[in-house]
Amino acid sequence: MAAQSAAGAAQSLPSVPSAPSGFLSPTGVEIAFVLVGIATLGAALVTVTTRQLVHAALWLVVALGGLAVEYLLLTAEFIAWVQVLIYVGSVVVLLLFGLMLTKAPIGRSPDADSGNRRVALGVAAAAAGTLVWIVVDAFRTTWIELEGPVGGSTEVTGASLFRHWVLPFEALSVLLLAALVGAVVLSRKHGKEQS
């Protein structure tokens, strides 16, 4: 009898609706996404504005690591680990090797600033505007299919990479190899001039 009255009382209580997740009520993941995005943007700005080349490379590590965290927050774990392994682990190490082989100055480098800040800012703003416009225009009518495989899964990523992006991927690897070979050639040329 008491169980029936408790069940009846529980049914008569109004259910509290859960707060809808939207623009005015962000979830914890959305707040973390925005905060990590702001930190990543700050690290990217310091990367391109610092006059110390080694510091620029290290701030690039922070920016690329922030992107990996953003991918994790988007539940694209495979892309996040590829970001860490390829970009943070390989590309930045290649940049640091290039800096060391060419004997770039460790401290402040006065020749790292060409004095064209206004032109560079204009070009950067135009490039950013163009990229935003292209991405918005390309994905304006795209719908995400929630019933299929997860967007960040290895199956979807591998199929897209090896079906549509093989040539740019290989071109990037040849470009990085050419940069490393160029750094070795420059370091040997400086070594012969000094001896």
Side-chain angles (χ1 to χ4, degrees), residues 69 109 112:
V69 172
S109 178

Side-chain angles (χ1 to χ4, degrees), residues 8-194:
Q11 289 177 352
S12 64
L13 290 175
S15 63
V16 178
S18 62
S21 177
F23 180 71
L24 296 176
S25 61
T27 64
V29 173
E30 291 168 346
I31 292 171
F33 187 86
V34 169
L35 293 176
V36 171
I38 291 170
T40 303
L41 179 63
L45 288 175
V46 173
T47 300
V48 297
T49 57
T50 186
R51 293 187 183 188
Q52 299 183 6
L53 295 176
V54 176
H55 288 182
L58 294 176
W59 278 108
L60 182 62
V61 171
V62 175
L64 294 174
L67 282 176
V69 172
E70 296 282 49
Y71 287 133
L72 280 176
L73 291 172
L74 292 172
T75 65
E77 293 87 5
F78 176 70
I79 302 296
W81 287 116
V82 167
Q83 174 80 15
V84 169
L85 292 174
I86 301 297
Y87 287 101
V88 177
S90 301
V91 173
V92 174
V93 169
L94 180 67
L95 286 174
L96 289 173
F97 274 140
L99 288 173
M100 288 186 290
L101 285 172
T102 56
K103 295 180 176 58
I106 300 297
R108 293 179 68 82
S109 178
D111 59 342
D113 187 8
S114 66
N116 295 326
R117 288 183 182 257
R118 290 185 181 163
V119 174
L121 185 62
V123 169
T130 303
L131 287 173
V132 167
W133 179 74
I134 287 172
V135 168
V136 168
D137 187 52
F139 294 105
R140 182 173 301 167
T141 59
T142 301
W143 293 90
I144 297 173
E145 185 62 45
L146 297 177
E147 300 299 323
V150 180
S153 69
T154 54
E155 177 186 357
V156 174
T157 304
S160 175
L161 178 67
F162 292 114
R163 199 172 286 145
H164 305 293
W165 298 101
V166 172
L167 188 61
F169 187 76
E170 292 301 323
L172 179 63
S173 63
V174 169
L175 178 68
L176 292 173
L177 179 64
L180 185 59
V181 169
V184 170
V185 168
L186 285 175
S187 68
R188 287 187 177 218
K189 190 179 293 183
H190 289 303
K192 287 180 182 178
E193 290 173 1
Q194 289 176 356

